[in-house]
Amino acid sequence: MTEEKTHPNKESIEEFLESFKMASERKRHGLLNGLEDRVDELLGLGARLMTGFDPGVYEWPPGFILQLIHKTDQNFIKNNLDCDDLSWFNAPSDVGFDYSPLQRYLLNECYEDADRFTSSKLRELAGEKAVKRGYVYFSEVESIPSIDLSTLDKLWVVYSRGKFGFTVQAKILDSLGGRYDKLWPRIGWKNDGIWTRYPKAFNWSIDAPNGHMPLVNQLRGVRLMDALLNHQGIKAKT
């Protein structure tokens, strides 16, 4: 019988994962480097890697772990976690939409592609007129199913270490007293009074400011953003 492999700090990888799951938000971020250092041990867990994590609960620690192992072994998720399309998280839709492409983009940290997919799905959810004109009117947001808007939001949250998503933007706005003029520079959409140029000037990486993604066109004013952040599918989560 072989001995369980342990880290020099005497904590097994299973114990380290449990500590990661149970830690406070701030402490979790402090443990990320430790997980990166022990990625080979994570891979060694095989099908047991995600034990204790719930694909129906949208927390970011399992999303980070999935991103980390996928960078090292792109066949691991398919071979060990029974996810042929790499979609580990449940992604319900009230209208039968497939959100597996979004999960793949976010898993691979292809945030610009994920943003474009999100915008496209929002137009589809808003209706045929929004699809034809190429953008959503604020008055159409209310008709978007709460389940779908919540799914879009949650996938952004879980694959961004909790940095991106509509609920993140809503919480930041609330902390600023509802002041959109303060929100834009905080999330990197405006700098020195000038709108950030799309798409090249945006930061399509995990290093972007909290709330930087997904994007919403602000050139027509704040009403669309306000409708999204106050939608019941988002408001109920903030």
Side-chain angles (χ1 to χ4, degrees), residues 11-47:
E11 188 176 38
S12 70
I13 190 61
E14 290 89 346
E15 291 170 333
F16 190 85
L17 272 177
E18 187 64 23
S19 298
F20 180 57
K21 284 186 283 187
M22 301 302 294
S24 65
E25 186 76 1
R26 185 171 183 175
K27 189 172 182 181
R28 279 175 176 173
H29 284 279
L31 295 173
L32 298 185
N33 288 339
L35 283 172
E36 291 174 343
D37 290 342
R38 302 181 69 174
V39 65
D40 288 339
E41 293 175 69
L42 292 174
L43 292 169
L45 293 175

Side-chain angles (χ1 to χ4, degrees), residues 102-115:
L102 180 59
Q103 292 211 51
R104 290 195 295 273
Y105 289 140
L106 292 169
L107 176 71
N108 286 286
E109 298 185 50
C110 297
Y111 290 116
E112 184 174 1
D113 291 326
D115 185 79

Side-chain angles (χ1 to χ4, degrees), residues 183-196:
L183 178 69
W184 308 140
R186 175 70 68 86
I187 64 178
W189 292 9
K190 211 170 191 179
N191 185 29
D192 293 331
I194 301 173
W195 289 108
T196 303

Side-chain angles (χ1 to χ4, degrees), residues 10-216:
K10 306 301 182 183
E11 188 176 38
S12 70
I13 190 61
E14 290 89 346
E15 291 170 333
F16 190 85
L17 272 177
E18 187 64 23
S19 298
F20 180 57
K21 284 186 283 187
M22 301 302 294
S24 65
E25 186 76 1
R26 185 171 183 175
K27 189 172 182 181
R28 279 175 176 173
H29 284 279
L31 295 173
L32 298 185
N33 288 339
L35 283 172
E36 291 174 343
D37 290 342
R38 302 181 69 174
V39 65
D40 288 339
E41 293 175 69
L42 292 174
L43 292 169
L45 293 175
R48 295 182 293 128
L49 175 66
M50 305 307 285
T51 299
F53 290 115
D54 185 345
V57 176
Y58 286 79
E59 295 184 343
W60 67 263
F64 174 79
I65 291 170
L66 290 168
Q67 287 175 321
L68 178 60
I69 62 167
H70 190 63
K71 288 178 186 176
T72 307
D73 182 353
Q74 295 194 350
N75 294 313
F76 182 92
I77 295 175
K78 178 179 179 180
N79 294 339
N80 293 276
L81 304 181
D82 194 27
C83 299
D84 288 340
D85 60 2
L86 303 180
S87 300
W88 185 81
F89 286 98
N90 297 338
S93 170
D94 202 35
V95 292
F97 281 176
D98 177 16
Y99 292 110
S100 59
L102 180 59
Q103 292 211 51
R104 290 195 295 273
Y105 289 140
L106 292 169
L107 176 71
N108 286 286
E109 298 185 50
C110 297
Y111 290 116
E112 184 174 1
D113 291 326
D115 185 79
R116 292 180 186 276
F117 179 91
T118 301
S119 295
S120 175
K121 280 298 174 220
L122 285 175
R123 291 193 294 272
E124 292 181 52
L125 290 166
E128 186 177 345
K129 290 182 179 179
V131 173
K132 286 183 177 180
R133 85 171 73 92
Y135 56 89
V136 179
Y137 277 149
F138 75 92
S139 57
E140 296 168 327
V141 172
E142 187 177 1
S143 66
I144 294 176
S146 293
I147 290 176
D148 289 77
L149 191 56
S150 180
T151 292
L152 287 169
D153 170 64
K154 290 174 178 177
L155 290 176
W156 273 97
V157 171
V158 299
Y159 282 117
S160 68
R161 308 177 198 177
K163 293 187 65 173
F164 307 140
F166 296 120
T167 50
V168 176
Q169 294 165 345
K171 288 175 182 176
I172 295 173
L173 179 63
D174 185 62
S175 73
L176 297 172
R179 295 278 301 274
Y180 278 99
D181 59 319
K182 292 185 176 181
L183 178 69
W184 308 140
R186 175 70 68 86
I187 64 178
W189 292 9
K190 211 170 191 179
N191 185 29
D192 293 331
I194 301 173
W195 289 108
T196 303
R197 187 179 295 274
Y198 177 86
K200 292 185 178 180
F202 280 88
N203 186 344
W204 304 107
S205 77
I206 194 63
D207 297 322
N210 286 11
H212 193 60
M213 295 175 261
L215 306 186
V216 177

